[in-house]
Amino acid sequence: MPGKKGKKRIVAIGGGTGLSTILRGLKQYDVDLTAIVTVADDGGSSGKIRKDYMIPPPGDVRNVIAALSDVEPLVLEMFQYRFAASEGLGGHSLGNLMLAAMTNITGDFSSAVAEMSRFLNIKGRVLPAANQIITLGAELEDGSIINGESKIPVYGHRIRRVFLLPDEVEPLDDAVRAIRRADMIIVGPGSLYTSILPNLLVPGIGEAVLKSKARRLYICNIMTQPGETSSFSASDHVRVMYDHLGARFLDGVVVNDGTGLDAVAEDYRQQQSVPVQGDVENLGKLADDVILADIATIVGGHVRHDAGKVAELICSYLDSPDGAAV
């Protein structure tokens, strides 16, 4: 069944800056958008609010709300404003504090997200992956167990698997329902172990993605991430997701073709980060459609996905009869 007024339904799953970037592009199209956002963060302002107020961390959700909002620029700038160093408010984003206040007012984090979404007049819906505090744990290749999303990338050992604590995490019914009704599911971009998998590992969400009849497209990171995906090819990213969910589920994979990175390549190399290689032959064994495209841009010295190009590619893939014509 189509979405509102016959619109195609797109569900985007992830967190961090990657998901926000993609949504900024997609909101320009006449589609029905739902974003399912990780709540496993435990660092920075989000981590402090999580600890002090015992609510899910609001940072990733805040960024996605901002990406989808349609308000006066000054209002959005205020929502994203981060206080300078001080004993009390230093480091906190005003939007994080507003979400914490709204959670106390409504008594429920998901209700707070819905109210803040209305306040900022967003296009689509933003849903936290879970309506409770969860902790991301990791087992490293040396057998060490690390608990805490912010701690996982700093150990320097390859990650064998990640998992959620507690074992029983309840997904939002709306999130599961959105996945079941979707025409397309976008996974990523974002940190593989600490932004994408914390969503897919929530019981009910991963299962719904596996069973979905929608086209399922993975937007691969452009650069490898030290502490998480060092030396990973695109197929390595995909295999990790398949291993964690126990099944192949992607129809297509989008990988940057390597262009547009020369200006910052050396800076990234010094940070032990290199372009993710689109190993087409291996990817072809993992998904029906492998799409190499020029989707990178440089913003303030940082590599980002080009929101306009990726959104155009996604909508072209969704509208094409066989999924491959983009």
Side-chain angles (χ1 to χ4, degrees):
M1 180 184 298
K4 296 177 182 178
K5 299 180 182 178
K7 297 178 182 179
K8 294 288 185 70
R9 293 187 174 110
I10 297 178
V11 172
I13 300 174
T17 58
L19 179 62
S20 299
T21 298
I22 299 309
L23 292 171
R24 285 190 192 95
L26 284 172
K27 77 175 183 180
Q28 306 302 323
Y29 288 79
D30 190 26
V31 293
D32 185 350
L33 283 173
T34 298
I36 298 175
V37 189
T38 180
V39 287
D41 190 10
D42 65 352
S45 171
S46 285
K48 292 176 185 177
I49 288 174
R50 165 184 160 141
K51 180 180 179 181
D52 292 344
Y53 295 96
M54 297 302 295
I55 66 172
D60 285 283
V61 166
R62 183 198 84 243
N63 281 327
V64 171
I65 289 174
L68 291 174
S69 67
D70 183 16
V71 291
E72 291 294 328
L74 188 60
V75 175
L76 186 57
E77 185 177 353
M78 181 182 68
F79 182 68
Q80 290 287 66
Y81 179 80
R82 191 173 297 275
F83 292 94
S86 72
E87 191 171 332
L89 294 177
H92 279 303
S93 159
L94 180 59
N96 285 354
L97 296 174
M98 292 172 72
L99 281 164
M102 189 63 75
T103 301
N104 285 341
I105 292 169
T106 63
D108 179 83
F109 183 66
S110 65
S111 297
V113 173
E115 292 299 328
M116 197 59 62
S117 296
R118 278 191 281 273
F119 175 70
L120 288 176
N121 190 32
I122 73 166
K123 178 177 180 179
R125 288 189 302 166
V126 177
L127 302 173
N131 200 26
Q132 66 186 87
I133 291 177
I134 61 175
T135 298
L136 183 68
E139 179 186 359
L140 307 182
E141 281 200 342
D142 67 354
S144 302
I145 301 295
I146 309 299
N147 289 330
E149 180 267 344
S150 62
K151 301 173 184 175
I152 292 170
V154 302
Y155 275 78
H157 293 283
R158 288 180 73 93
I159 300 167
R160 182 175 296 164
R161 67 183 181 98
V162 290
F163 53 89
L164 300 181
L165 296 171
D167 294 331
E168 299 297 326
V169 178
E170 290 292 329
L172 286 180
D173 288 341
D174 283 348
V176 175
R177 190 177 301 113
I179 293 169
R180 289 174 177 166
R181 301 167 85 181
D183 297 297
M184 175 173 250
I185 297 170
I186 307 299
V187 179
S191 300
L192 177 62
Y193 288 101
T194 54
S195 287
I196 293 174
L197 285 171
N199 291 292
L200 297 177
L201 291 177
V202 173
I205 289 182
E207 289 87 340
V209 171
L210 290 178
K211 294 177 181 177
S212 174
K213 304 297 184 185
R215 285 184 177 170
R216 294 161 293 186
L217 188 66
Y218 173 52
I219 312 296
C220 189
N221 281 0
I222 297 171
M223 308 296 293
T224 61
Q225 189 169 356
E228 285 201 40
T229 57
S230 297
S231 76
F232 270 37
S233 66
S235 67
D236 291 327
H237 287 73
V238 174
R239 285 194 184 94
V240 166
M241 288 188 286
Y242 287 1
D243 288 345
H244 277 76
L245 267 66
R248 169 176 167 162
F249 64 90
L250 294 170
D251 299 294
V253 178
V254 178
V255 188
N256 186 56
D257 63 7
T259 60
L261 304 178
D262 291 345
V264 295
E266 183 56 33
D267 289 340
Y268 271 83
R269 194 175 297 113
Q270 291 179 9
Q271 300 171 46
Q272 299 181 322
S273 177
V274 298
V276 174
Q277 297 301 308
D279 49 340
V280 175
E281 184 175 349
N282 290 329
L283 284 170
K285 301 172 185 176
L286 302 173
D288 292 337
D289 301 315
V290 179
I291 304 165
L292 288 177
D294 173 15
I295 55 172
T297 188
I298 309 298
V299 180
H302 300 285
V303 175
R304 297 285 184 258
H305 287 80
D306 186 301
K309 290 180 179 179
V310 176
E312 182 179 6
L313 187 153
I314 288 170
C315 292
S316 176
Y317 185 79
L318 175 59
D319 290 337
S320 63
D322 59 3
V326 295

